[in-house]
């Protein structure tokens, strides 16, 4: 989840739509679904390697294969791939940095470069095929771009929060208020994340429980270092606090946690452009296979219980070990739930950042590639 303003999201979407004529949009190319691919059973990836996309239960166990599975199936010829990401220091990017460090991409004969690019800069490059994949989310600009004819799809999830996590919407309580009763309509909310981000969905959900909604509150965009300060000094009434910032107010009865990202439902992950969706699907499956193997090998459970791995992770993410240990392990999850893009778009509409009709899920999501990687036959 990345910082951006509503204006930036709309400008990016506008740029994508304006150049839609340059994209392949003749209806002849629909990704892996165009030519059915043989899906074979994968050793080490049994029943638990796939879960029903319709299962939205908060306690859903994420899909898992055995450690080291699925085994590498190196491409016949080395393939260079560029993956754009907004940051390399966030914990949710760790499976990519670890995969690179441990040689999991190389085992597939992939030469992967992780390139730091803000989403507004990376998205047009992905649509044109100038980069191969993007570690981001189906945000408003992405959905607007797809609506304009671009062949971009969300092909794998990233994580859902631990049930103990309190990353999300926090409010400064007024007299006679409690976490169960906080009228939010008309209040000012500070956030480093704009309305066009996927976080609009859980934010809207939390606000509606308390008489608010994205259309009933005032937004104030703030830098990452200013969100907590503004909440504490009264500059804003509420704030969306990320890991590990929420620890600063947790346990203080002047503040209340109203809700965060739904457990068991990833809101971002890997986006593929036309090359990996259509021209070189084998490379796309290989990339996801390496990612999935990394999750199964290093992030299968409570990875922060391993002190040596935490030390290694802190070094890779260039962060302090104590900061990393101050929040629960993320539940790394490569699967995509049914209806997530519908719920996201409903929030974008409420926030006023959607353009055109809602994008049907089949135009925005492709589960076939990660299913092939674990040997699941639909």
């Amino acid at each position: 989840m990345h910082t951006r303003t509503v204006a930036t999201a709309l400008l990016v979407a506008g740029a994508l739509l304006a150049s839609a004529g340059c994209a392949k949009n003749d209806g002849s190319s629909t990704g892996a679904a165009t030519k059915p691919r043989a899906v074979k059973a994968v050793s080490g990836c049994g029943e638990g390697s796939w879960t029903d996309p319709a299962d939205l239960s908060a306690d859903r166990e994420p899909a898992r294969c055995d450690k080291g599975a699925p085994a590498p199936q190196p491409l016949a010829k080395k393939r260079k791939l560029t993956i754009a990401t907004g940051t390399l220091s966030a914990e949710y990017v760790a499976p990519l940095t670890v995969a690179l460090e441990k040689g999991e991409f190389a085992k597939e004969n992939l030469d992967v470069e992780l390139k730091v690019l803000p989403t507004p800069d990376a998205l047009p490059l992905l649509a044109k095929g100038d980069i191969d994949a993007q570690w981001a989310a189906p945000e408003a600009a992405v959905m607007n771009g797809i609506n304009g004819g671009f062949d971009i799809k969300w092909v794998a999830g990233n994580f859902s929060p631990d049930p103990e996590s309190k990353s999300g919407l926090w409010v400064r309580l007024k007299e006679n208020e409690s976490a169960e009763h906080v009228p939010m309509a008309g209040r000012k909310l500070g956030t480093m994340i704009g309305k066009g981000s996927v976080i609009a969905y859980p934010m809207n959900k939390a606000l509606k429980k308390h008489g608010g909604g994205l259309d009933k509150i005032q937004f104030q965009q703030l830098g990452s270092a200013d969100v907590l300060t503004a909440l504490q000094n009264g500059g804003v009434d509420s704030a969306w606090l990320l890991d590990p910032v929420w620890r600063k107010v947790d346990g203080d009865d002047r503040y209340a946690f109203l809700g965060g990202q739904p457990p068991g439902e990833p809101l971002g992950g890997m986006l593929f452009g036309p090359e990996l969706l259509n021209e070189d699907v084998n490379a796309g499956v290989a990339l996801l296979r390496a990612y999935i193997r990394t999750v199964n090998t290093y992030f299968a459970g409570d990875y922060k219980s391993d002190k040596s791995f935490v030390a290694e992770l802190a070094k890779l993410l260039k962060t302090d070990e104590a900061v990393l240990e101050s929040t629960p392990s993320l539940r790394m999850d490569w699967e995509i739930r049914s209806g997530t893009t519908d719920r996201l778009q409903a929030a974008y509409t409420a926030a006023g950042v959607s353009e055109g009709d809602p994008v049907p899920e089949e135009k925005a999501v492709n589960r076939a590639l990660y299913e092939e990687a674990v040997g699941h036959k639909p």
Side-chain angles (χ1 to χ4, degrees), residues 43 64 72-73 101 209 271 310-311 326:
S43 178
R64 292 289 183 260
Q73 297 180 36
E101 177 73 13
K209 289 180 182 177
L271 305 178
V310 169
S326 69

Side-chain angles (χ1 to χ4, degrees), residues 1 62 64 89-95 135 158-167 242-244 246 261 263-264 266 291 295 298-305 309-310 313 317 324-334:
M1 301 172 197
R64 292 289 183 260
S89 61
E91 191 175 336
Y92 65 87
V93 186
W135 192 249
N158 53 6
F159 76 94
S160 62
D162 184 278
E164 299 301 313
S165 174
K166 294 182 182 177
S167 172
L242 301 176
D243 287 336
W246 58 268
Q261 178 178 331
Y291 161 52
V295 170
Y298 302 99
F299 299 93
D302 181 14
Y303 52 90
K304 292 185 182 179
S305 63
F309 184 62
V310 169
L313 206 54
L317 299 178
L324 200 56
E325 290 177 321
S326 69
T327 56
S329 295
L330 299 178
R331 291 192 169 183
M332 302 303 184
D333 190 347
W334 64 78

Side-chain angles (χ1 to χ4, degrees), residues 209-234:
K209 289 180 182 177
H210 298 276
L214 294 175
D215 57 339
K216 295 181 181 179
I217 61 165
Q218 302 172 52
F219 269 83
Q220 183 165 334
Q221 194 96 14
L222 298 166
S224 58
D226 303 321
V227 176
L228 178 63
T229 302
L231 179 66
Q232 291 174 322
N233 67 19

Side-chain angles (χ1 to χ4, degrees), residues 3 15 22 51 54 79 104 111-112 130 162 170 187 194 250 277 308 323 355 373:
T3 60
C22 300
T51 68
R79 178 73 152 82
E104 298 298 344
D111 178 10
V112 170
D130 292 341
D162 184 278
W170 285 81
R187 296 203 186 192
D250 190 30
L277 288 171
S308 62
V323 171
E355 295 181 359

Side-chain angles (χ1 to χ4, degrees), residues 272-293:
F272 277 1
E275 184 74 15
L276 296 184
L277 288 171
N278 305 309
E279 282 80 30
D280 198 353
V281 181
N282 286 339
V285 174
L287 177 58
L288 293 187
R289 188 166 50 240
Y291 161 52
I292 291 168
R293 184 169 59 254

